[in-house]
Amino acid sequence: MILGIGSDLANIDRIAGTIERFGARFKNRVFTDVEQAKAERRRDSVGTYAKRWAAKEACSKALGTGLAMGISWKDMAVSNLRTGQPVMEVTGWARERLAEMTPPGHEAIIHVTLTDDHPWAQAFVVIEARPIAPESA
C-alpha cells in the first residue's frame, strides 16, 4: 500500500549559487558527511548536491509534512547501493513520522529515484507499507 508520494524539481544553478555564497555552512546544514563525500568525488558535484536536495524535499512531501514541521534536512539522507541505485534513510523526527504513518503489521519501504538534465535535478519518493511476513513455525 502506498503511504506517501513526493516529488521535487531543483534548479542546479540556484544550488550552485547557494554553495558559492554560503559554502560549507550550507553543505553542513543540509547534507550529511556521507552525502558531501559522495558529491565531492563527482565531476558534477553541484548536480549531485541538487539531486539530493530534491530528494530531501520530495521525501518530506511523501512524509506529509514538508520541511516546516520539524524535520531536519539531515534527518533524510541519500546514499547509493553498490549498483548505483539511490536509497533514502531517515532518522530523528523523520523516522518518528514514518513510524506513525506505518500501519501495524507492516514495514515501511522508501523508494527514491533521481535524475538531472542541466539546469534541472529531479527526485521522486514513494513510501510503501509492506505486510511483514509471519515467522515460520
Side-chain angles (χ1 to χ4, degrees):
M1 120 185 29
I2 303 296
L3 298 179
I5 300 172
S7 68
D8 192 67
L9 185 65
N11 185 291
I12 296 170
D13 294 333
R14 184 174 70 95
I15 298 297
T18 302
I19 290 171
E20 284 178 27
R21 185 171 177 201
F22 297 105
R25 189 169 131 214
F26 168 72
K27 291 176 185 178
N28 292 333
R29 180 174 165 255
V30 175
F31 302 102
T32 66
D33 292 341
V34 171
E35 290 172 314
Q36 289 182 55
K38 172 84 172 182
E40 296 301 326
R41 285 192 306 267
R42 292 287 183 89
R43 187 174 341 148
D44 180 18
S45 66
V46 175
T48 301
Y49 281 120
K51 285 186 283 189
R52 277 147 180 76
W53 170 279
K56 291 167 186 268
E57 287 275 8
C59 185
S60 72
K61 292 171 185 174
L63 289 168
T65 63
L67 284 155
M69 294 181 64
I71 292 179
S72 164
W73 286 103
K74 288 183 169 182
D75 284 349
M76 300 166 289
V78 178
S79 60
N80 296 83
L81 301 176
R82 296 183 88 201
T83 60
Q85 177 184 349
V87 293
M88 176 71 71
E89 292 183 44
V90 292
T91 58
W93 199 89
R95 180 183 285 182
E96 291 173 22
R97 172 68 182 142
L98 184 62
E100 289 171 7
M101 294 172 62
T102 306
H106 290 74
E107 64 178 334
I109 310 294
I110 301 174
H111 304 277
V112 60
T113 186
L114 308 172
T115 191
D116 66 302
D117 187 8
H118 196 89
W120 302 108
Q122 186 175 39
F124 288 96
V125 171
V126 175
I127 301 175
E128 171 191 12
R130 212 179 269 173
I132 297 171
E135 292 185 31
S136 301

